[in-house]
Amino acid sequence: MKRKKLSNGVLIPTIGLGTWQITDKKQMHALLESACEKGYRLFDTAAAYHNEMAIGRALAELPIGREELFLSDKVWNTCRGQGAVRKACESSLKKLKTDYLDLYLIHWPASPRLYPDWAKINADTWRGMEALYREGVVKAIGVCNFKAHHLLELEKTAQILPMVDQLEIHPGMLQADTVAFCREKEIVVEASSPLGNGQILQQEALGRIAEKKGKTAAQICLRWGLQKELVIIPKTANADRLSENMDLFDFHLEPEEIDRIDRMPWCGGIGIDPDEVTEFG
C-alpha cells in the first residue's frame, strides 16, 4: 500500500476504508476481515458513526498487529473545547480497544450560522487536539470540512497546524480554493465521499473514460483522486467493491482526461456547507 507523508513525518495510506452508516457488528467484522486481506490498513470512523465498538471488536479479533493499522477517528460537534475533546478521545479509544489513534480529526467547524464566536470555539477545540498530540495519545491531528477561511482563522492561534483536512471531494465538487490553501500549508487533503452519493457514476463523461480504460466509473473517480494527490477513503459494505476500489494502479489518466473530469458540473454528493451546517446527529 502506497503512503503519503504528513507534515510531522507520519505516513498515511493513500487508500482507506470509510465506515459511515455501517453499524452491524457481524457485517463490520466480515468487512474488516476482507479489507485487511485485500491490503487495507487505513480505517476511518467517527464518534457520530456509532460504530467504534464494532470496529474495535472486529480488529481485535483479526490476526494483524495494531502497529500495521492506521485508525482515524473524529470528535463530534457536541464535544468542542479542550476538556470535552479529551473526554471524547478517551471514550473513542476505549470503544476501539486501543491506547492511541493514528489520526484524530475535528468533524465540523463551529458554524457561523449558529455561533458568532465560531473562530474562538474552533481555536479552543484545537488547543485540546494539540494537547492530545503532544502527549502521544494521537499520532497526528487534523480537521474535516474546514474551508480556507476556517483554516486561516485557526492559524492565528494554533501552535501546530492541522496535518490533514478531510473534505468532500469528487468529480463535480473540487473544493479547489481550500485544496490550494492546504497545499500551501503542507496540509494533506483526504477525500471523503470520493464517489459522491453514487449519482456521479452515471455520468457520460466518466463512462466514456471508463470504457476506454477497461475500468469502472468508480475506479476512474478514485484514480482521478489519487492523481490529484489526495488520500481517498471510499465507503463500501460490499466485499467485491473492496477489491475494485483498490485496483487503481495498473492504469493512468491522461492530462486531458483529468481536465475533462475537473470540468464536470455538480452531479450528486453530500454537499453540506460548513458555513451553514446546523448541529445534527
Side-chain angles (χ1 to χ4, degrees), residues 172-231:
M173 189 169 185
L174 305 186
Q175 306 251 36
D177 291 345
T178 301
V179 171
F181 182 88
C182 287
R183 295 275 188 265
E184 179 184 339
K185 300 295 181 178
E186 299 184 341
I187 299 171
V188 167
V189 178
E190 271 190 328
S192 67
S193 302
L195 302 176
N197 60 4
Q199 293 181 28
I200 60 175
L201 302 182
Q202 309 305 316
Q203 296 301 303
E204 184 178 353
L206 291 176
R208 288 179 177 177
I209 297 173
E211 184 177 2
K212 178 181 177 181
K213 301 293 184 181
K215 294 290 181 176
T216 66
Q219 288 172 316
I220 299 302
C221 286
L222 297 178
R223 180 68 202 184
W224 170 84
L226 290 179
Q227 287 188 223
K228 294 181 83 68
E229 299 185 352
L230 306 173
V231 171

Short mmCIF file of all heavy atoms in Angstrom, two decimals, residues 172-231:
data_model
loop_
_atom_site.label_atom_id
_atom_site.label_comp_id
_atom_site.label_asym_id
_atom_site.label_seq_id
_atom_site.Cartn_x
_atom_site.Cartn_y
_atom_site.Cartn_z
N GLY A 172 -17.18 17.02 -9.88
CA GLY A 172 -18.32 17.90 -9.68
C GLY A 172 -18.22 18.71 -8.39
O GLY A 172 -19.00 19.65 -8.19
N MET A 173 -17.27 18.37 -7.53
CA MET A 173 -17.06 19.11 -6.29
C MET A 173 -15.57 19.09 -5.98
O MET A 173 -15.08 18.17 -5.31
CB MET A 173 -17.87 18.53 -5.13
CG MET A 173 -17.85 19.39 -3.88
SD MET A 173 -19.07 18.81 -2.67
CE MET A 173 -18.90 20.10 -1.42
N LEU A 174 -14.86 20.10 -6.46
CA LEU A 174 -13.40 20.09 -6.40
C LEU A 174 -12.83 20.75 -5.14
O LEU A 174 -11.70 20.42 -4.74
CB LEU A 174 -12.81 20.81 -7.63
CG LEU A 174 -13.26 20.31 -9.00
CD1 LEU A 174 -12.47 21.02 -10.10
CD2 LEU A 174 -13.10 18.81 -9.12
N GLN A 175 -13.56 21.69 -4.55
CA GLN A 175 -13.05 22.44 -3.38
C GLN A 175 -11.66 23.02 -3.68
O GLN A 175 -10.74 22.97 -2.85
CB GLN A 175 -12.98 21.54 -2.15
CG GLN A 175 -14.29 20.84 -1.82
CD GLN A 175 -14.96 21.38 -0.58
OE1 GLN A 175 -14.90 22.57 -0.32
NE2 GLN A 175 -15.58 20.50 0.17
N ALA A 176 -11.52 23.59 -4.87
CA ALA A 176 -10.20 23.99 -5.37
C ALA A 176 -9.51 25.02 -4.49
O ALA A 176 -8.29 24.92 -4.25
CB ALA A 176 -10.34 24.53 -6.79
N ASP A 177 -10.24 26.01 -3.99
CA ASP A 177 -9.61 27.06 -3.16
C ASP A 177 -9.04 26.47 -1.87
O ASP A 177 -7.92 26.80 -1.47
CB ASP A 177 -10.61 28.16 -2.84
CG ASP A 177 -10.99 28.98 -4.05
OD1 ASP A 177 -10.28 28.89 -5.07
OD2 ASP A 177 -12.01 29.70 -3.99
N THR A 178 -9.82 25.61 -1.23
CA THR A 178 -9.36 25.01 0.02
C THR A 178 -8.20 24.06 -0.22
O THR A 178 -7.23 24.03 0.54
CB THR A 178 -10.51 24.28 0.72
OG1 THR A 178 -11.56 25.22 0.99
CG2 THR A 178 -10.04 23.68 2.03
N VAL A 179 -8.27 23.27 -1.30
CA VAL A 179 -7.18 22.36 -1.62
C VAL A 179 -5.90 23.14 -1.88
O VAL A 179 -4.82 22.76 -1.39
CB VAL A 179 -7.54 21.48 -2.84
CG1 VAL A 179 -6.31 20.69 -3.31
CG2 VAL A 179 -8.66 20.52 -2.48
N ALA A 180 -5.99 24.24 -2.61
CA ALA A 180 -4.81 25.06 -2.89
C ALA A 180 -4.22 25.62 -1.60
O ALA A 180 -3.00 25.65 -1.42
CB ALA A 180 -5.17 26.19 -3.85
N PHE A 181 -5.07 26.06 -0.69
CA PHE A 181 -4.60 26.58 0.59
C PHE A 181 -3.88 25.49 1.37
O PHE A 181 -2.81 25.71 1.95
CB PHE A 181 -5.77 27.14 1.40
CG PHE A 181 -5.35 27.73 2.72
CD1 PHE A 181 -4.98 29.07 2.81
CD2 PHE A 181 -5.33 26.95 3.88
CE1 PHE A 181 -4.58 29.62 4.02
CE2 PHE A 181 -4.94 27.50 5.09
CZ PHE A 181 -4.57 28.83 5.16
N CYS A 182 -4.47 24.29 1.39
CA CYS A 182 -3.85 23.18 2.10
C CYS A 182 -2.50 22.83 1.51
O CYS A 182 -1.53 22.55 2.25
CB CYS A 182 -4.78 21.97 2.07
SG CYS A 182 -6.23 22.11 3.13
N ARG A 183 -2.39 22.83 0.21
CA ARG A 183 -1.10 22.55 -0.43
C ARG A 183 -0.05 23.56 0.03
O ARG A 183 1.09 23.21 0.33
CB ARG A 183 -1.24 22.65 -1.96
CG ARG A 183 -2.16 21.61 -2.57
CD ARG A 183 -1.43 20.31 -2.85
NE ARG A 183 -2.29 19.41 -3.60
CZ ARG A 183 -3.05 18.45 -3.09
NH1 ARG A 183 -3.06 18.28 -1.77
NH2 ARG A 183 -3.78 17.67 -3.84
N GLU A 184 -0.44 24.83 0.09
CA GLU A 184 0.48 25.89 0.51
C GLU A 184 0.97 25.67 1.94
O GLU A 184 2.13 25.95 2.25
CB GLU A 184 -0.23 27.24 0.40
CG GLU A 184 0.61 28.43 0.82
CD GLU A 184 -0.18 29.72 0.79
OE1 GLU A 184 -1.21 29.78 0.09
OE2 GLU A 184 0.23 30.67 1.48
N LYS A 185 0.09 25.15 2.79
CA LYS A 185 0.42 24.97 4.21
C LYS A 185 0.89 23.55 4.54
O LYS A 185 1.06 23.21 5.71
CB LYS A 185 -0.81 25.31 5.06
CG LYS A 185 -1.31 26.73 4.91
CD LYS A 185 -0.28 27.74 5.39
CE LYS A 185 -0.80 29.17 5.26
NZ LYS A 185 0.17 30.15 5.77
N GLU A 186 1.10 22.73 3.52
CA GLU A 186 1.55 21.35 3.70
C GLU A 186 0.56 20.53 4.52
O GLU A 186 0.94 19.70 5.36
CB GLU A 186 2.95 21.30 4.31
CG GLU A 186 4.01 21.96 3.44
CD GLU A 186 5.40 21.82 4.01
OE1 GLU A 186 5.52 21.52 5.23
OE2 GLU A 186 6.37 21.97 3.25
N ILE A 187 -0.73 20.77 4.29
CA ILE A 187 -1.80 20.00 4.90
C ILE A 187 -2.27 18.97 3.89
O ILE A 187 -2.69 19.33 2.78
CB ILE A 187 -2.97 20.91 5.31
CG1 ILE A 187 -2.51 21.96 6.33
CG2 ILE A 187 -4.13 20.10 5.87
CD1 ILE A 187 -3.55 23.05 6.62
N VAL A 188 -2.20 17.69 4.23
CA VAL A 188 -2.65 16.64 3.32
C VAL A 188 -4.18 16.66 3.25
O VAL A 188 -4.86 16.78 4.27
CB VAL A 188 -2.15 15.26 3.79
CG1 VAL A 188 -2.86 14.13 3.05
CG2 VAL A 188 -0.64 15.15 3.60
N VAL A 189 -4.70 16.55 2.05
CA VAL A 189 -6.14 16.56 1.85
C VAL A 189 -6.65 15.13 1.65
O VAL A 189 -6.15 14.39 0.81
CB VAL A 189 -6.53 17.41 0.62
CG1 VAL A 189 -8.04 17.38 0.40
CG2 VAL A 189 -6.06 18.85 0.81
N GLU A 190 -7.64 14.78 2.46
CA GLU A 190 -8.33 13.50 2.34
C GLU A 190 -9.65 13.74 1.64
O GLU A 190 -10.37 14.67 2.01
CB GLU A 190 -8.62 12.90 3.72
CG GLU A 190 -7.56 12.02 4.29
CD GLU A 190 -8.06 11.29 5.52
OE1 GLU A 190 -8.91 11.83 6.26
OE2 GLU A 190 -7.60 10.17 5.76
N ALA A 191 -9.98 12.89 0.70
CA ALA A 191 -11.27 12.99 0.02
C ALA A 191 -12.26 12.04 0.66
O ALA A 191 -12.16 10.82 0.50
CB ALA A 191 -11.12 12.68 -1.46
N SER A 192 -13.21 12.61 1.41
CA SER A 192 -14.32 11.79 1.89
C SER A 192 -15.38 11.77 0.80
O SER A 192 -15.44 12.67 -0.04
CB SER A 192 -14.91 12.37 3.19
OG SER A 192 -15.53 13.61 2.95
N SER A 193 -16.19 10.75 0.77
CA SER A 193 -17.20 10.58 -0.29
C SER A 193 -16.60 10.79 -1.67
O SER A 193 -17.12 11.57 -2.48
CB SER A 193 -18.37 11.56 -0.07
OG SER A 193 -18.96 11.38 1.18
N PRO A 194 -15.47 10.11 -1.99
CA PRO A 194 -14.83 10.33 -3.29
C PRO A 194 -15.66 9.85 -4.47
O PRO A 194 -15.33 10.15 -5.61
CB PRO A 194 -13.53 9.54 -3.17
CG PRO A 194 -13.83 8.47 -2.18
CD PRO A 194 -14.76 9.10 -1.19
N LEU A 195 -16.76 9.14 -4.18
CA LEU A 195 -17.69 8.72 -5.23
C LEU A 195 -19.00 9.49 -5.14
O LEU A 195 -20.00 9.12 -5.76
CB LEU A 195 -17.97 7.21 -5.12
CG LEU A 195 -16.73 6.31 -5.21
CD1 LEU A 195 -17.10 4.86 -5.00
CD2 LEU A 195 -16.03 6.50 -6.54
N GLY A 196 -19.02 10.58 -4.36
CA GLY A 196 -20.24 11.35 -4.19
C GLY A 196 -21.30 10.50 -3.51
O GLY A 196 -21.02 9.74 -2.59
N ASN A 197 -22.52 10.61 -3.99
CA ASN A 197 -23.59 9.75 -3.47
C ASN A 197 -23.96 8.66 -4.47
O ASN A 197 -25.02 8.05 -4.38
CB ASN A 197 -24.82 10.57 -3.10
CG ASN A 197 -25.39 11.34 -4.29
OD1 ASN A 197 -24.89 11.19 -5.42
ND2 ASN A 197 -26.39 12.15 -4.07
N GLY A 198 -23.09 8.44 -5.43
CA GLY A 198 -23.31 7.39 -6.43
C GLY A 198 -23.88 7.90 -7.74
O GLY A 198 -23.71 7.26 -8.78
N GLN A 199 -24.53 9.05 -7.71
CA GLN A 199 -25.14 9.58 -8.93
C GLN A 199 -24.09 9.91 -9.99
O GLN A 199 -24.35 9.78 -11.19
CB GLN A 199 -25.96 10.83 -8.61
CG GLN A 199 -27.19 10.57 -7.76
CD GLN A 199 -27.98 11.83 -7.49
OE1 GLN A 199 -27.96 12.78 -8.28
NE2 GLN A 199 -28.65 11.88 -6.34
N ILE A 200 -22.91 10.34 -9.53
CA ILE A 200 -21.89 10.74 -10.50
C ILE A 200 -21.41 9.56 -11.35
O ILE A 200 -20.90 9.76 -12.45
CB ILE A 200 -20.68 11.41 -9.81
CG1 ILE A 200 -20.02 10.45 -8.82
CG2 ILE A 200 -21.07 12.69 -9.13
CD1 ILE A 200 -18.76 11.02 -8.21
N LEU A 201 -21.62 8.36 -10.86
CA LEU A 201 -21.16 7.19 -11.60
C LEU A 201 -21.97 6.96 -12.87
O LEU A 201 -21.58 6.16 -13.72
CB LEU A 201 -21.21 5.95 -10.72
CG LEU A 201 -20.39 6.03 -9.42
CD1 LEU A 201 -20.48 4.71 -8.66
CD2 LEU A 201 -18.94 6.39 -9.71
N GLN A 202 -23.09 7.65 -13.00
CA GLN A 202 -23.93 7.53 -14.19
C GLN A 202 -23.57 8.56 -15.26
O GLN A 202 -24.18 8.58 -16.33
CB GLN A 202 -25.41 7.70 -13.81
CG GLN A 202 -25.87 6.82 -12.65
CD GLN A 202 -25.60 5.35 -12.88
OE1 GLN A 202 -25.84 4.84 -13.98
NE2 GLN A 202 -25.12 4.67 -11.85
N GLN A 203 -22.59 9.41 -14.98
CA GLN A 203 -22.26 10.49 -15.91
C GLN A 203 -21.55 9.97 -17.15
O GLN A 203 -20.64 9.13 -17.07
CB GLN A 203 -21.38 11.53 -15.20
CG GLN A 203 -22.08 12.25 -14.05
CD GLN A 203 -23.32 12.98 -14.50
OE1 GLN A 203 -23.28 13.83 -15.39
NE2 GLN A 203 -24.46 12.63 -13.90
N GLU A 204 -21.98 10.48 -18.29
CA GLU A 204 -21.46 10.01 -19.57
C GLU A 204 -19.96 10.23 -19.70
O GLU A 204 -19.23 9.39 -20.23
CB GLU A 204 -22.19 10.72 -20.71
CG GLU A 204 -21.79 10.23 -22.09
CD GLU A 204 -22.58 10.92 -23.20
OE1 GLU A 204 -23.51 11.68 -22.88
OE2 GLU A 204 -22.24 10.68 -24.38
N ALA A 205 -19.46 11.36 -19.21
CA ALA A 205 -18.04 11.67 -19.32
C ALA A 205 -17.19 10.60 -18.64
O ALA A 205 -16.16 10.16 -19.17
CB ALA A 205 -17.75 13.04 -18.73
N LEU A 206 -17.61 10.18 -17.46
CA LEU A 206 -16.88 9.13 -16.74
C LEU A 206 -17.02 7.79 -17.46
O LEU A 206 -16.07 7.01 -17.54
CB LEU A 206 -17.40 9.02 -15.31
CG LEU A 206 -17.09 10.18 -14.36
CD1 LEU A 206 -17.76 9.95 -13.02
CD2 LEU A 206 -15.59 10.35 -14.18
N GLY A 207 -18.22 7.52 -17.96
CA GLY A 207 -18.46 6.26 -18.65
C GLY A 207 -17.58 6.08 -19.87
O GLY A 207 -17.06 4.98 -20.12
N ARG A 208 -17.37 7.15 -20.62
CA ARG A 208 -16.53 7.06 -21.81
C ARG A 208 -15.08 6.77 -21.45
O ARG A 208 -14.42 5.95 -22.10
CB ARG A 208 -16.63 8.37 -22.60
CG ARG A 208 -17.96 8.57 -23.30
CD ARG A 208 -17.98 9.90 -24.03
NE ARG A 208 -19.23 10.08 -24.77
CZ ARG A 208 -19.52 11.19 -25.44
NH1 ARG A 208 -18.67 12.21 -25.46
NH2 ARG A 208 -20.68 11.29 -26.08
N ILE A 209 -14.58 7.45 -20.41
CA ILE A 209 -13.21 7.22 -19.99
C ILE A 209 -13.07 5.80 -19.44
O ILE A 209 -12.09 5.10 -19.72
CB ILE A 209 -12.78 8.25 -18.92
CG1 ILE A 209 -12.81 9.67 -19.52
CG2 ILE A 209 -11.38 7.94 -18.39
CD1 ILE A 209 -12.58 10.77 -18.50
N ALA A 210 -14.06 5.36 -18.67
CA ALA A 210 -14.03 4.01 -18.09
C ALA A 210 -13.99 2.94 -19.18
O ALA A 210 -13.22 1.97 -19.10
CB ALA A 210 -15.24 3.81 -17.19
N GLU A 211 -14.79 3.14 -20.22
CA GLU A 211 -14.82 2.17 -21.32
C GLU A 211 -13.47 2.11 -22.03
O GLU A 211 -12.97 1.04 -22.36
CB GLU A 211 -15.92 2.55 -22.31
CG GLU A 211 -16.09 1.54 -23.43
CD GLU A 211 -17.24 1.90 -24.35
OE1 GLU A 211 -17.89 2.96 -24.14
OE2 GLU A 211 -17.51 1.12 -25.29
N LYS A 212 -12.87 3.27 -22.21
CA LYS A 212 -11.57 3.34 -22.87
C LYS A 212 -10.49 2.65 -22.06
O LYS A 212 -9.61 1.97 -22.62
CB LYS A 212 -11.21 4.82 -23.09
CG LYS A 212 -9.85 5.03 -23.74
CD LYS A 212 -9.57 6.52 -23.89
CE LYS A 212 -8.18 6.76 -24.46
NZ LYS A 212 -7.89 8.22 -24.59
N LYS A 213 -10.56 2.79 -20.75
CA LYS A 213 -9.52 2.23 -19.87
C LYS A 213 -9.82 0.79 -19.46
O LYS A 213 -8.95 0.13 -18.86
CB LYS A 213 -9.40 3.08 -18.61
CG LYS A 213 -9.05 4.54 -18.85
CD LYS A 213 -7.65 4.70 -19.40
CE LYS A 213 -7.28 6.17 -19.54
NZ LYS A 213 -5.93 6.37 -20.11
N GLY A 214 -11.01 0.30 -19.74
CA GLY A 214 -11.37 -1.03 -19.29
C GLY A 214 -11.58 -1.10 -17.80
O GLY A 214 -11.30 -2.12 -17.16
N LYS A 215 -12.07 0.00 -17.23
CA LYS A 215 -12.30 0.11 -15.79
C LYS A 215 -13.73 0.54 -15.54
O LYS A 215 -14.51 0.79 -16.47
CB LYS A 215 -11.33 1.13 -15.18
CG LYS A 215 -9.87 0.71 -15.22
CD LYS A 215 -9.59 -0.45 -14.28
CE LYS A 215 -8.13 -0.86 -14.29
NZ LYS A 215 -7.85 -1.93 -13.30
N THR A 216 -14.12 0.61 -14.28
CA THR A 216 -15.45 1.09 -13.94
C THR A 216 -15.42 2.60 -13.72
O THR A 216 -14.35 3.19 -13.51
CB THR A 216 -15.97 0.42 -12.66
OG1 THR A 216 -15.15 0.84 -11.55
CG2 THR A 216 -15.94 -1.09 -12.78
N ALA A 217 -16.59 3.22 -13.75
CA ALA A 217 -16.67 4.66 -13.49
C ALA A 217 -16.15 4.98 -12.09
O ALA A 217 -15.50 6.02 -11.88
CB ALA A 217 -18.11 5.14 -13.64
N ALA A 218 -16.42 4.09 -11.13
CA ALA A 218 -15.93 4.30 -9.77
C ALA A 218 -14.40 4.31 -9.74
O ALA A 218 -13.78 5.16 -9.07
CB ALA A 218 -16.47 3.22 -8.84
N GLN A 219 -13.78 3.41 -10.47
CA GLN A 219 -12.32 3.36 -10.50
C GLN A 219 -11.74 4.61 -11.15
O GLN A 219 -10.67 5.09 -10.75
CB GLN A 219 -11.85 2.10 -11.23
CG GLN A 219 -12.08 0.83 -10.42
CD GLN A 219 -11.80 -0.43 -11.21
OE1 GLN A 219 -12.19 -0.55 -12.37
NE2 GLN A 219 -11.11 -1.37 -10.59
N ILE A 220 -12.44 5.15 -12.13
CA ILE A 220 -11.98 6.39 -12.76
C ILE A 220 -12.02 7.53 -11.75
O ILE A 220 -11.07 8.32 -11.64
CB ILE A 220 -12.83 6.74 -14.00
CG1 ILE A 220 -12.73 5.63 -15.05
CG2 ILE A 220 -12.42 8.09 -14.57
CD1 ILE A 220 -11.32 5.34 -15.53
N CYS A 221 -13.10 7.63 -10.98
CA CYS A 221 -13.21 8.66 -9.94
C CYS A 221 -12.08 8.54 -8.93
O CYS A 221 -11.46 9.55 -8.54
CB CYS A 221 -14.54 8.53 -9.20
SG CYS A 221 -15.98 9.09 -10.10
N LEU A 222 -11.81 7.33 -8.49
CA LEU A 222 -10.81 7.12 -7.45
C LEU A 222 -9.40 7.36 -7.99
O LEU A 222 -8.55 7.95 -7.30
CB LEU A 222 -10.93 5.71 -6.88
CG LEU A 222 -12.27 5.41 -6.18
CD1 LEU A 222 -12.30 3.97 -5.69
CD2 LEU A 222 -12.52 6.37 -5.02
N ARG A 223 -9.14 6.92 -9.22
CA ARG A 223 -7.83 7.17 -9.81
C ARG A 223 -7.61 8.68 -10.00
O ARG A 223 -6.51 9.20 -9.78
CB ARG A 223 -7.73 6.45 -11.16
CG ARG A 223 -6.38 6.65 -11.86
CD ARG A 223 -5.26 5.98 -11.12
NE ARG A 223 -3.97 6.58 -11.46
CZ ARG A 223 -2.80 6.13 -11.01
NH1 ARG A 223 -2.75 5.09 -10.21
NH2 ARG A 223 -1.68 6.74 -11.37
N TRP A 224 -8.66 9.38 -10.39
CA TRP A 224 -8.62 10.84 -10.51
C TRP A 224 -8.20 11.46 -9.18
O TRP A 224 -7.34 12.35 -9.14
CB TRP A 224 -10.00 11.33 -10.95
CG TRP A 224 -10.23 12.80 -10.92
CD1 TRP A 224 -9.91 13.71 -11.88
CD2 TRP A 224 -10.90 13.55 -9.89
NE1 TRP A 224 -10.32 14.97 -11.52
CE2 TRP A 224 -10.93 14.90 -10.31
CE3 TRP A 224 -11.48 13.20 -8.68
CZ2 TRP A 224 -11.52 15.90 -9.52
CZ3 TRP A 224 -12.07 14.19 -7.90
CH2 TRP A 224 -12.07 15.52 -8.32
N GLY A 225 -8.76 10.98 -8.09
CA GLY A 225 -8.40 11.50 -6.78
C GLY A 225 -6.94 11.23 -6.44
O GLY A 225 -6.24 12.10 -5.92
N LEU A 226 -6.46 10.04 -6.73
CA LEU A 226 -5.07 9.71 -6.45
C LEU A 226 -4.12 10.58 -7.26
O LEU A 226 -3.09 11.06 -6.75
CB LEU A 226 -4.79 8.24 -6.74
CG LEU A 226 -5.42 7.21 -5.79
CD1 LEU A 226 -5.07 5.80 -6.26
CD2 LEU A 226 -4.97 7.43 -4.35
N GLN A 227 -4.46 10.80 -8.53
CA GLN A 227 -3.58 11.62 -9.38
C GLN A 227 -3.62 13.08 -9.00
O GLN A 227 -2.72 13.84 -9.37
CB GLN A 227 -3.92 11.40 -10.85
CG GLN A 227 -3.46 10.05 -11.35
CD GLN A 227 -3.60 9.86 -12.85
OE1 GLN A 227 -4.03 8.80 -13.30
NE2 GLN A 227 -3.25 10.86 -13.65
N LYS A 228 -4.63 13.48 -8.26
CA LYS A 228 -4.67 14.84 -7.72
C LYS A 228 -4.03 14.89 -6.32
O LYS A 228 -4.19 15.86 -5.59
CB LYS A 228 -6.11 15.34 -7.67
CG LYS A 228 -6.71 15.51 -9.07
CD LYS A 228 -8.13 16.04 -9.06
CE LYS A 228 -8.14 17.54 -8.94
NZ LYS A 228 -7.61 18.21 -10.15
N GLU A 229 -3.32 13.82 -5.98
CA GLU A 229 -2.52 13.71 -4.74
C GLU A 229 -3.39 13.77 -3.49
O GLU A 229 -2.98 14.30 -2.46
CB GLU A 229 -1.43 14.79 -4.71
CG GLU A 229 -0.46 14.68 -5.86
CD GLU A 229 0.69 15.67 -5.76
OE1 GLU A 229 0.63 16.55 -4.88
OE2 GLU A 229 1.62 15.56 -6.56
N LEU A 230 -4.58 13.20 -3.58
CA LEU A 230 -5.46 13.11 -2.43
C LEU A 230 -5.32 11.74 -1.77
O LEU A 230 -4.98 10.76 -2.43
CB LEU A 230 -6.92 13.29 -2.86
CG LEU A 230 -7.27 14.56 -3.66
CD1 LEU A 230 -8.71 14.48 -4.15
CD2 LEU A 230 -7.04 15.81 -2.83
N VAL A 231 -5.59 11.67 -0.48
CA VAL A 231 -5.84 10.40 0.18
C VAL A 231 -7.33 10.13 0.01
O VAL A 231 -8.16 11.01 0.24
CB VAL A 231 -5.50 10.47 1.69
CG1 VAL A 231 -5.98 9.21 2.41
CG2 VAL A 231 -3.99 10.66 1.87
#
